[in-house]
Amino acid sequence: MSNEAVKGHHEKAYALLKADANKILKLIEVQMANLTMPQCPLYEEVLDTQMFGLSREIDFAIRLELIDEEVGKQLIAQLERELATLHEASTKSL
């Protein structure tokens, strides 16, 4: 496989993982705005399940050498920061 094709696969894998992280953020935003409070067990279960699924996707991409481990860690850390900010804003508005 050519270097260009490999690079394309790496970029596509990262873009897909980033899109999944954004979907989780949007899902939690909608859930917090319309359905439940952050202290609700349903909220926590959805968040835990989604984050676990994303971490497994990232682990898989790392094992396939589609992304670097550090990139995967940064993606999870960024999502966790965004979720923490969203959670903080939600609890302040109560």
Side-chain angles (χ1 to χ4, degrees), residues 13-68:
Y14 180 79
L16 290 170
L17 292 169
K18 183 69 174 162
D20 285 349
N22 287 335
K23 286 178 190 175
I24 292 170
L25 185 61
K26 295 296 179 198
L27 173 68
I28 297 302
E29 284 176 344
V30 168
Q31 189 174 7
M32 290 177 80
N34 299 311
L35 304 174
T36 60
M37 304 302 289
Q39 298 81 11
C40 176
L42 178 61
Y43 164 84
E44 292 175 2
E45 187 168 327
V46 168
L47 181 57
D48 289 347
T49 301
Q50 294 295 318
M51 291 298 287
F52 177 76
L54 180 62
S55 71
R56 299 309 307 146
E57 286 181 50
I58 289 172
D59 287 344
F60 186 67
I62 290 168
R63 288 195 325 260
L64 289 174
E65 298 180 356
L66 293 172
I67 64 168
D68 292 329

Side-chain angles (χ1 to χ4, degrees), residues 67-93:
I67 64 168
D68 292 329
E69 185 174 357
E70 189 58 35
V71 171
K73 287 179 182 179
Q74 289 173 0
L75 190 58
I76 288 286
Q78 178 182 353
L79 178 57
E80 288 174 342
R81 283 190 303 274
E82 291 171 347
L83 289 169
T85 300
L86 184 62
H87 183 270
E88 186 178 313
S90 156
T91 56
K92 282 184 179 179
S93 68

